[in-house]
Amino acid sequence: MESLQDRSSSSEGSPPSEASRRGKMGRIAGHTRGLVEDLRQWIDLRIDLAILEIEEQVDDLRNEVALGVTLAFLGFFAALFVFTTIALGLGWLLGHPFWGFLIVSVLLVLTLTALSKARPELLPPSNLFEQIRGETDEPAEEDRPSREAQATVETDDAAASPDNPSSLS
């Protein structure tokens, strides 16, 4: 704050009322500039926070994808060795490895054919958009009021009924 000495030295050539008004306006302008600067800093910090949160989500997603690719790669080779072992075992039981590999191959082709015909949903929907945006502002389907177009159709149906004498003309 300004001391009495500062006010008197700054307002030597002007009347006291004008000096005090200029001082108040100066203080208000200074406080406004400070407020605007604080607001800018706050907005910059919020933007930095949002960038850091997105960066963290991207890093988590990258790690999950890398883990998934690694597991798929190792799972592929594990399944390959399991099927080879089953084929060799069946071939050993039947007397020739050819029969074991033929049986395993036919079973795999039948499984692929059945899955391609049935097309089951093996994974639930991801709802990625809702996860990114959070909760939606729109009400659920049950909470929404019926649209006017539906009410108009119902009114038109009632107007065209045989009970309504005006519709017979």
Side-chain angles (χ1 to χ4, degrees):
M1 293 210 63
E2 296 179 1
S3 66
L4 290 176
Q5 231 176 14
D6 292 338
R7 281 188 185 171
S8 61
S9 63
S10 65
S11 61
E12 287 178 348
S14 61
S17 62
E18 187 179 340
S20 63
R21 197 173 73 206
R22 192 178 315 148
K24 287 180 184 178
M25 292 300 281
R27 283 195 312 265
I28 291 173
H31 288 301
T32 305
R33 278 192 291 276
L35 180 64
V36 168
E37 184 61 32
D38 288 345
L39 184 61
R40 282 183 185 160
Q41 288 176 355
W42 182 80
I43 290 172
D44 288 341
L45 289 174
R46 291 294 294 175
I47 290 171
D48 291 345
L49 179 64
I51 290 171
L52 287 174
E53 287 175 351
I54 290 172
E55 185 177 336
E56 183 179 322
Q57 289 176 354
V58 167
D59 288 344
D60 290 343
L61 183 64
R62 286 178 47 209
N63 287 333
E64 288 180 26
V65 167
L67 179 64
V69 167
T70 303
L71 291 176
F73 181 76
L74 293 175
F76 170 76
F77 283 108
L80 183 69
F81 280 105
V82 167
F83 288 134
T84 304
T85 304
I86 291 171
L88 287 173
L90 286 173
W92 178 72
L93 287 175
L94 296 174
H96 200 277
F98 167 78
W99 293 113
F101 280 99
L102 181 64
I103 291 170
V104 170
S105 298
V106 167
L107 288 176
L108 287 173
V109 167
L110 288 175
T111 304
L112 287 172
T113 304
L115 284 175
S116 67
K117 296 291 183 189
R119 295 201 178 271
E121 288 190 29
L122 299 177
L123 298 175
S126 64
N127 296 328
L128 183 62
F129 185 72
E130 285 82 11
Q131 289 175 358
I132 291 174
R133 283 196 62 208
E135 293 182 6
T136 58
D137 295 333
E138 297 182 58
E141 288 286 331
E142 299 84 23
D143 299 338
R144 290 185 184 160
S146 61
R147 297 182 303 173
E148 288 183 12
Q150 291 172 344
T152 305
V153 170
E154 291 170 6
T155 305
D156 289 341
D157 290 342
S161 69
D163 297 336
N164 190 353
S166 64
S167 67
L168 299 175
S169 57

